[in-house]
Amino acid sequence: MFHATSFGLVDPAGTLTGSCGDNPGVACRLAWDFSHSTSAAQLVNVYLAGPASRVGRILFIIILALLVRTALCRLLNRVAERAATATLRVAANGRVHKAAVAVHAAGSERRAQRARALGSILRSAISAIVFGIAALTILGILGFDLAPLLASTTVLGVALGFGAQNLVRDYLAGILMLVEDHYGVGDTINAGVATGTVEAMTLLTTELRDVNGVVWHIRNGTIDSVGNESQGWSRAVIDYPVPYGEDLARIRQLMEQAAVSLYRERGWRKVMLEKPEVWGAQELSSKEVTMRIVAKTAPMRQVEVARELRARVKAVLDAAGVPPAGPDTIVITRRRARAARPVRGRERCPRPRRRCPRTPRRARTPRRVR
């Protein structure tokens, strides 16, 4: 036997292909096998097989999107947790440097927060991309024409890009600052327009408080350069003036003695990463020499170390008999005396125990008699 389709003829209505088409589905084939009715096969094919097939494909796309999103989110969570719990590198001798330990301990919490924040942003981006593709695929299955929709979306995206350039730039700058770890909450930064401690940071703005208590809200896109004063480690710099005529070698020895005494104390040694160094004469003038001492400290601990080290140096120099540097002459001023009021008929003489000459009285003019 041969089919009429071999000769390009139309299939009769009483056949499977004539009732269900060239590619009959499972439901239409079953309806034809059981009923051998063209009407039943076409009814199943139009009202049951088509919607069921669409629903099945839509469910398959949704399940596939959920599985892809779950797999990618788990992968991102593993990467984020590994970055948050990074271990220290061990040297060849099996030891870890003290500065590295302090920096790692100080930045572990911040690193964990940064890793989790990045993970949250990436998870949101993955969810938007995966479900967006799934939504477009479902619309195509339902018979919507996606060409006008994509064209309008492209035009809308271009319009938003031109109209909200600053907003897009702020968001991109915030993401890059978070990815590259320029600064974080609790850091002291110099953002150009203001210097202070970061209290909050979003993808759009950075909120910092200066030393006067003023809160600054700075858009991330306007920050061209930023100086972080508390990332990794800090340094306490002390400039101490001494008289010009003192022996600088002796002064240097006394300052090193004060610095070593502070470094040997257990409480301060936990804060100071390295032994303080006396760099020597920093500035010279006709009256004094400025000596500089530096100490490497943990982040944001340089101020208290500088105060204590300055007090220790003063105590050691005072005990050694080194006079403080300063001006040689002191000018003392007193209040200006009031001017003496003239007395009727005589004036007070500036010399004591001596009378001043009598002031001549003003001659009276005679009255004119009418």
Side-chain angles (χ1 to χ4, degrees):
M1 287 183 66
F2 57 90
H3 295 283
T5 54
S6 303
F7 297 94
L9 300 177
V10 181
D11 290 331
T15 59
L16 176 62
T17 55
S19 302
C20 299
D22 295 335
N23 296 317
V26 177
C28 187
R29 186 183 293 273
L30 291 175
W32 174 260
D33 292 339
F34 281 104
S35 63
H36 291 282
S37 174
T38 303
S39 301
Q42 291 179 353
L43 184 64
V44 170
N45 188 28
V46 172
Y47 295 100
L48 182 61
S53 177
R54 290 182 180 181
V55 171
R57 284 187 289 174
I58 291 173
L59 291 177
F60 175 75
I61 291 172
I62 293 174
I63 294 173
L64 181 62
L66 291 174
L67 291 177
V68 171
R69 177 185 175 276
T70 304
L72 292 178
C73 289
R74 286 186 178 181
L75 179 61
L76 285 177
N77 290 335
R78 289 185 180 180
V79 174
E81 290 299 328
R82 183 175 298 178
T85 58
T87 57
L88 290 175
R89 295 181 179 179
V90 182
N93 56 2
R95 297 181 179 180
V96 181
H97 195 265
K98 179 183 176 182
V101 175
V103 171
H104 180 78
S108 59
E109 183 64 23
R110 171 184 169 181
R111 185 168 53 252
Q113 294 178 358
R114 172 172 163 263
R116 294 186 179 94
L118 285 175
S120 176
I121 294 174
L122 293 177
R123 283 194 299 270
S124 300
I126 287 175
S127 300
I129 293 172
V130 171
F131 288 126
I133 295 174
L136 292 177
T137 307
I138 291 173
L139 289 178
I141 293 174
L142 294 177
F144 289 92
D145 190 5
L146 298 180
L149 179 61
L150 293 177
S152 60
T153 304
T154 304
V155 173
L156 181 60
V158 172
L160 289 177
F162 279 106
Q165 295 182 26
N166 294 331
L167 188 64
V168 174
R169 184 177 61 180
D170 294 340
Y171 274 108
L172 291 178
I175 293 174
L176 291 178
M177 287 179 183
L178 186 61
V179 170
E180 298 180 0
D181 195 19
H182 292 171
Y183 55 86
V185 177
D187 290 346
T188 300
I189 65 172
N190 183 359
V193 296
T195 301
T197 303
V198 179
E199 292 189 347
M201 179 183 174
T202 63
L203 297 180
L204 185 62
T205 60
T206 297
E207 178 183 333
L208 59 90
R209 187 183 299 272
D210 62 9
V211 68
N212 297 321
V214 181
V215 179
W216 294 77
H217 300 272
I218 306 174
R219 288 168 40 205
N220 294 330
T222 61
I223 302 177
D224 296 330
S225 59
V226 59
N228 196 331
E229 301 178 3
S230 57
Q231 190 171 14
W233 53 271
S234 300
R235 174 171 285 164
V237 181
I238 301 97
D239 291 334
Y240 198 91
V242 296
Y244 185 85
E246 293 292 330
D247 185 9
L248 294 185
R250 176 170 171 264
I251 296 296
R252 187 187 188 98
Q253 183 178 3
L254 292 174
M255 287 184 173
E256 288 180 351
Q257 177 183 350
V260 170
S261 66
L262 180 64
Y263 182 69
R264 287 178 178 176
E265 295 185 7
R266 181 176 299 178
W268 291 106
R269 193 166 184 175
K270 294 180 180 179
V271 179
M272 304 169 69
L273 305 182
E274 295 179 359
K275 181 180 178 181
E277 299 178 359
V278 181
W279 284 1
Q282 183 69 19
E283 294 181 0
L284 296 174
S285 65
S286 60
K287 300 296 182 181
E288 62 187 22
V289 179
T290 302
M291 301 290 290
R292 173 163 289 186
I293 314 173
V294 296
K296 194 173 183 180
T297 67
M300 297 302 298
R301 306 300 296 271
Q302 71 273 17
V303 177
E304 51 185 317
V305 172
R307 291 171 179 170
E308 184 65 22
L309 188 57
R310 195 177 290 111
R312 297 291 181 94
V313 170
K314 179 183 181 302
V316 171
L317 294 181
D318 291 344
V322 178
D328 295 336
T329 58
I330 301 176
V331 179
I332 301 176
T333 59
R334 64 178 181 177
R335 297 181 62 183
R336 188 176 180 181
R338 292 184 177 180
R341 294 183 178 179
V343 184
R344 185 179 181 183
R346 66 178 61 181
E347 295 178 355
R348 291 187 180 181
C349 184
R351 298 179 182 179
R353 299 179 182 179
R354 196 169 187 178
R355 291 187 177 182
C356 296
R358 181 182 294 274
T359 304
R361 294 185 177 182
R362 186 177 179 182
R364 298 182 178 179
T365 56
R367 292 184 177 182
R368 190 172 180 180
V369 181
R370 295 181 180 178

